[in-house]
Amino acid sequence: MKQNNMLAMILAGGRGTRLHELTNKVAKPAVSYGGKYKIIDFPLSNCANSGIDVVGVLTQYESILLNSYVAAGRRWGLDAKESGVYVLPPREKADANLDVYRGTADAISQNIDFIDSFSPEYLLILSGDHIYKMNYAKMLDYHKACKADATIAVIEVPMKEASRFGIMNTDTETGRIVEFEEKPEHPKSNLASMGIYIFDWKLLRKMLVADMKDPDSNHDFGKDIIPALLNDGKSLYAFKFKGYWKDVGTIDSLWEANMDLLDGKNELDLNDSTWKIYTEDTTTLPQYIGPDAEIDQAFINQGCIIEGTVKNSVLFTGAKVGAGAKIIDSVLMPGVEVAEGAVVQRALVADNVKIGKEAVVGSADSEHIELVAKRVKGVE
Amino acid sequence: MAKAFGIVNFTGRHFWVEGMQDYRPVGAFSFLGRYRVIDFPISNMSNSGIDQIQVYIRRKPRSLTEHIGTGRHYNINSKRGRVHLLFSENGVDHDIYNNDIAAFLENMECIENVNCPYVVIAPSYMIYTQDFSTLLQTHIDSEADITLLYHSTDDAKEHFLNCNTLNLNKQKGVLSLEMNRGTAKNRNIFMDTYVMKKELFIELVNKAHKTSAMYNLSDIVNMACGELDVRAVSHRGFFATVTDFKSYYDANLSLIDFKAAQSLFDAEWPIYTRTNDSCPTQYFEGASVKNSVVSNGCLIEGTVENSVIGRGCVIKKGAVIKNSVILHDVVVEEDVHLENLVADKHARITHVKEVIAEPGQPEYIRRNGVL
């Protein structure tokens, strides 16, 4: 808390239904990405790298794995004195009934006591399921420079896609937000909200207390809190973010976000040693590349054993590719085993799935990426 | 197994790894891309349930202290156990007296204070896996005074030179220790690994010091073979020593074959190391990598064959690397051709387009060296 008087709260309760079997047993922030990471490593590492000491993680849907994963704050260096990662699932309280988090704002409201115990000046609200690198300290500087009541990070999206997002209409000179429109049919700007907010905590606290009592509220930042602040004439500023940002909602977009890494000049640049993304440490071997292996454009993590062909693909920790097997335009999640002679094409193979000898999975001209979540039998 | 504490010992003056050892002790040498040599003895101890581990450092402590740090990554209980870094301050200025006995004597208080009746001593320059809890049990059951671990080889003429060998009787009693001068093929190479009672260990250290200021632990154990019951236990599985430059190179290359690696590594017996949080390795269009071991964080556009590539290396277009050990963060520029060598960390090979050593006679590219 000492460093910048800002506490971060990561909303990590979402299920991510359109990721199908990948989120049957884990919440979306715990889904694997980029060869070795989980999606939530991005906001957590950003916090650590931005000098934020205390992070609360709001979990709800299938939270067992996520709770234990984020509780080990040491992974991100968030374990110094007065620093830590706090797992915050809904809990029973002395003065209120046990209730699930009814919306993004409600998740914060139910933890007002937690936040108060640190008495921060600023509160940073983050999404646990976005992939990006961002220095929140710079956003806080901007927030202070604008003397804003709230600052919302925005990213420019193509105008034709703008109606899929929450759009901020700003005063082009000052950057002050004049209007917020959730998924507008006829967008007036292309500045999409990234779901990253900095609030003056005292002000937000008041708003949340009022929101809790409002029977008509959805208890949502985008739908209720931001419009209410604008109605009250508070000063809200848009902080423009440039760089890689992805909200992976579907199997196709998760696959695509992985494929983005194959471009050596990709904006996410995971190799940047000044802004590392930290994750769980695994005790696996280095990569073993066999004598007949062929690797062409790939992003491969430690523990992989490759005896076959890998082309234009991302291989996560400990994936095995047998002799003569071909992995093309695909993503193999941690622990996937592809036996000899099997062909995997335009597919995303879920954690620990085994693909048998000479099995064929996916196809070159499919419209969508095939999700392989169950064992595929091979030729005996 | 709280019965024993662990000591990871350093190499004696009779071993020197040309080039590499100028910068750091053998325990801190990078091994197989992502490990350091000392990860093996410490992981063996940790996996055997030993949670009090003393690591002795003879000289150049920086890289070892940095790598071991608090020792948390070795998976020992952070409250009950610890990895303790110790060295002989007096020895630093007087190299011939700077041996293991001197270091033990100087740190005798730490040894006496460990609340374990037995000690397991392992070297920081040998690579093997061994369950020390079964070794300790064998030792206790046999009622021997000292148990030594050895590896039988038929390759002692060319390899393991200057290592100690064990002369055994038929009951695996140790008659004497003898330095391997390469005079015979078949030898029992002593793995510098001892199990004994702590009290006996302290007694031997004191005795060694009184006998000769240049005595090592192995010298006094050799002397004790006549009076004490010293027995040997045979080790099976992968075994390599890092005692000179060639053996370092060979040990790395011998593990490129995955089958060979399986005789060292076992999923149930993890080898811990310090993470660097590098991202996965990127293979670009045109890259060709075969029969190699590659660490994370590399950018590979060129050709790699039969080599070990350390963390964070950059291998540019048209570059060719064969039969080599490349340590971390080495940059190999376009069209550079390297064969049969070890490139130390942060080396940058750019202006010289060809560095090719004779097979079996590896060359060394210095740390931070620009060619």
Side-chain angles (χ1 to χ4, degrees):
Chain A
M1 274 314 299
K2 285 170 306 204
Q3 292 197 68
N4 47 25
N5 222 357
M6 183 160 73
L7 184 142
M9 295 289 266
I10 301 179
L11 299 161
R15 173 168 182 178
T17 350
R18 288 171 304 152
L19 289 171
H20 306 285
E21 286 96 330
L22 285 185
T23 52
N24 268 357
K25 275 286 144 207
V26 297
K28 188 171 151 194
V31 167
S32 301
Y33 168 75
K36 71 182 290 192
Y37 309 97
K38 293 189 190 299
I39 295 174
I40 198 164
D41 288 329
F42 287 83
L44 280 168
S45 301
N46 287 338
C47 283
N49 290 332
S50 303
I52 292 168
D53 297 318
V54 180
V55 183
V57 181
L58 300 145
T59 63
Q60 179 152 290
Y61 171 76
E62 281 295 347
S63 57
I64 296 175
L65 188 137
L66 193 59
N67 288 351
S68 67
Y69 184 75
V70 302
R74 184 163 51 87
R75 290 190 185 117
W76 305 276
L78 294 165
D79 63 339
K81 276 226 188 326
E82 294 175 46
S83 168
V85 179
Y86 295 81
V87 183
L88 304 166
R91 68 205 141 105
E92 200 174 339
K93 298 180 196 79
D95 55 354
N97 293 329
L98 174 63
D99 207 344
V100 294
Y101 295 145
R102 293 167 296 171
T104 52
D106 187 47
I108 303 297
S109 300
Q110 289 200 36
N111 287 289
I112 284 177
D113 55 345
F114 166 78
I115 299 165
D116 277 346
S117 70
F118 292 94
S119 41
E121 206 173 333
Y122 307 102
L123 189 74
L124 172 68
I125 309 279
L126 303 169
S127 222
D129 46 15
H130 295 166
I131 297 161
Y132 65 106
K133 296 199 294 195
M134 181 174 179
N135 190 342
Y136 306 131
K138 284 191 180 159
M139 182 168 165
L140 180 61
D141 289 345
Y142 181 78
H143 176 81
K144 287 180 188 164
C146 295
K147 299 196 170 67
D149 294 311
T151 300
I152 300 165
V154 294
I155 186 165
E156 286 184 34
V157 294
M159 206 63 195
K160 62 178 195 290
E161 286 178 35
S163 52
R164 286 175 40 220
F165 295 89
I167 294 296
M168 300 291 163
N169 300 323
T170 58
D171 179 321
T172 39
E173 252 170 60
T174 59
R176 185 164 171 167
I177 297 166
V178 293
E179 189 186 14
F180 170 71
E181 291 181 287
E182 182 72 30
K183 296 182 183 164
E185 210 175 310
H186 304 289
K188 295 173 207 147
S189 115
N190 66 341
L191 297 178
S193 167
M194 297 165 72
I196 300 169
Y197 312 99
I198 290 178
F199 292 103
D200 184 280
W201 171 234
K202 277 190 198 129
L203 171 68
L204 179 66
R205 196 183 187 286
K206 255 185 255 161
M207 304 293 297
L208 292 174
V209 171
D211 176 77
M212 271 198 290
K213 292 178 191 145
D214 180 357
D216 300 325
S217 172
N218 298 297
H219 311 293
D220 185 90
F221 277 102
K223 289 188 189 122
D224 307 289
I225 304 294
I226 301 299
L229 283 167
L230 286 170
N231 275 341
D232 286 0
K234 299 292 177 194
S235 64
L236 274 66
Y237 281 81
F239 176 72
K240 262 194 210 175
F241 172 80
K242 284 199 176 67
Y244 191 91
W245 179 77
K246 202 127 192 175
D247 176 1
V248 286
T250 62
I251 295 297
D252 280 356
S253 69
L254 177 60
W255 174 87
E256 202 179 278
N258 277 289
M259 288 295 140
D260 287 341
L261 298 169
L262 295 174
D263 176 359
K265 293 188 180 68
N266 75 78
E267 279 184 297
L268 194 59
D269 190 13
L270 292 172
N271 219 345
D272 176 5
S273 61
T274 64
W275 201 272
K276 280 185 182 177
I277 302 302
Y278 311 107
T279 186
E280 184 181 19
D281 182 25
T282 56
T283 53
T284 47
L285 293 181
Q287 301 164 30
Y288 264 81
I289 316 293
D292 302 315
E294 283 190 40
I295 303 177
D296 188 7
Q297 298 200 70
F299 199 58
I300 300 178
N301 195 36
Q302 66 189 33
C304 288
I305 302 166
I306 297 157
E307 293 177 277
T309 298
V310 176
K311 207 176 164 189
N312 208 42
S313 297
V314 178
L315 272 58
F316 289 61
T317 322
K320 294 190 178 78
V321 179
K326 286 195 173 100
I327 313 297
I328 302 162
D329 303 331
S330 293
V331 174
L332 306 186
M333 295 274 194
V336 167
E337 289 182 28
V338 180
E340 297 86 37
V343 179
V344 178
Q345 203 160 8
R346 274 176 71 74
L348 189 146
V349 186
D351 307 45
N352 300 315
V353 166
K354 289 185 170 62
I355 293 176
K357 264 188 199 172
E358 286 165 50
V360 177
V361 173
S363 73
D365 46 14
S366 64
E367 189 195 338
H368 291 289
I369 296 307
E370 183 159 339
L371 171 66
V372 187
K374 276 199 213 96
R375 188 195 167 134
V376 179
K377 272 198 172 175
V379 183
E380 289 308 319
Chain B
M1 191 183 73
K3 278 183 196 159
F5 72 106
I7 284 181
V8 180
N9 201 355
F10 50 65
T11 53
R13 293 177 68 234
H14 55 299
F15 294 126
W16 190 256
V17 180
E18 211 57 48
M20 306 257 314
Q21 211 174 338
D22 293 345
Y23 301 102
R24 69 289 257 184
V26 176
F29 283 16
S30 157
F31 188 73
L32 207 61
R34 71 179 302 249
Y35 304 102
R36 306 286 188 117
V37 176
I38 205 157
D39 292 334
F40 290 85
I42 300 181
S43 298
N44 283 337
M45 287 179 181
S46 167
N47 290 334
S48 304
I50 296 176
D51 59 11
Q52 297 282 342
I53 301 170
Q54 301 186 344
V55 175
Y56 285 84
I57 305 176
R58 185 167 168 269
R59 57 191 294 280
K60 301 258 177 197
R62 196 198 65 189
S63 56
L64 258 191
T65 49
E66 191 182 313
H67 179 70
I68 294 171
T70 61
R72 282 213 65 154
H73 44 281
Y74 294 111
N75 202 28
I76 55 174
N77 183 306
S78 59
K79 296 288 179 190
R80 292 184 50 83
R82 72 159 162 176
V83 179
H84 202 169
L85 297 169
L86 299 164
F87 52 95
S88 156
E89 283 172 43
N90 297 334
V92 176
D93 300 326
H94 303 283
D95 201 53
I96 64 163
Y97 299 113
N98 190 5
N99 58 14
D100 52 2
I101 296 291
F104 298 145
L105 270 176
E106 248 187 79
N107 296 288
M108 192 46 86
E109 213 183 314
C110 300
I111 294 169
E112 282 170 346
N113 284 344
V114 184
N115 188 21
C116 296
Y118 291 93
V119 58
V120 174
I121 302 160
S124 58
Y125 65 99
M126 290 184 175
I127 294 140
Y128 64 87
T129 48
Q130 168 72 38
D131 185 342
F132 291 135
S133 61
T134 57
L135 187 67
L136 176 65
Q137 201 53 53
T138 308
H139 171 78
I140 293 170
D141 294 345
S142 73
E143 295 180 3
D145 295 312
I146 303 175
T147 299
L148 306 179
L149 191 66
Y150 73 95
H151 192 95
S152 287
T153 178
D154 56 7
D155 199 14
K157 265 197 171 171
E158 313 266 310
H159 293 97
F160 310 111
L161 298 177
N162 293 335
C163 291
N164 275 310
T165 63
L166 300 183
N167 294 320
L168 304 177
N169 66 21
K170 282 195 177 136
Q171 290 74 40
K172 298 228 167 162
V174 180
L175 302 170
S176 64
L177 277 66
E178 185 191 343
M179 198 172 261
N180 177 28
R181 301 287 187 201
T183 49
K185 282 202 308 193
N186 294 302
R187 289 284 193 186
N188 301 317
I189 306 299
F190 175 38
M191 296 165 77
D192 273 16
T193 303
Y194 312 74
V195 184
M196 65 185 97
K197 281 214 165 102
K198 187 176 93 174
E199 300 313 320
L200 176 61
F201 172 66
I202 293 172
E203 199 183 307
L204 287 173
V205 169
N206 286 316
K207 196 171 165 190
H209 179 65
K210 280 183 196 140
T211 314
S212 162
M214 281 182 69
Y215 258 28
N216 287 312
L217 182 62
S218 59
D219 295 318
I220 197 70
V221 168
N222 178 39
M223 232 175 84
C225 282
E227 310 145 27
L228 298 176
D229 183 0
V230 183
R231 302 210 196 162
V233 170
S234 166
H235 167 264
R236 286 181 209 293
F238 183 88
F239 172 59
T241 60
V242 178
T243 53
D244 54 23
F245 182 63
K246 179 74 167 32
S247 63
Y248 172 70
Y249 170 85
D250 287 344
N252 273 285
L253 288 202
S254 67
L255 286 165
I256 286 177
D257 176 49
F258 188 62
K259 284 217 174 65
Q262 281 172 310
S263 68
L264 176 65
F265 295 103
D266 178 346
E268 304 293 306
W269 198 264
I271 303 301
Y272 305 105
T273 190
R274 191 169 67 104
T275 180
N276 191 265
D277 300 296
S278 305
C279 71
T281 276
Q282 187 125 28
Y283 298 81
F284 292 97
E285 195 174 356
S288 168
V289 179
K290 286 184 199 303
N291 207 38
S292 292
V293 175
V294 181
S295 308
N296 270 6
C298 298
L299 301 171
I300 303 179
E301 278 185 273
T303 298
V304 178
E305 278 175 33
N306 222 21
S307 296
V308 175
I309 308 295
R311 191 188 346 101
C313 289
V314 180
I315 298 161
K316 298 220 172 139
K317 216 163 84 184
V320 177
I321 297 174
K322 286 185 182 172
N323 310 321
S324 294
V325 179
I326 310 295
L327 270 56
H328 63 88
D329 296 313
V330 168
V331 178
V332 182
E333 294 282 356
E334 283 187 19
D335 302 318
V336 166
H337 191 142
L338 305 177
E339 267 188 55
N340 309 316
L341 51 81
V342 175
D344 206 335
K345 69 170 186 177
H346 297 297
R348 186 186 186 96
I349 302 96
T350 168
H351 299 294
V352 173
K353 292 297 176 198
E354 203 176 87
V355 187
I356 300 180
E358 289 297 313
Q361 293 172 292
E363 279 289 349
Y364 173 68
I365 296 175
R366 273 200 303 245
R367 187 167 82 169
N368 301 324
V370 179
L371 295 185

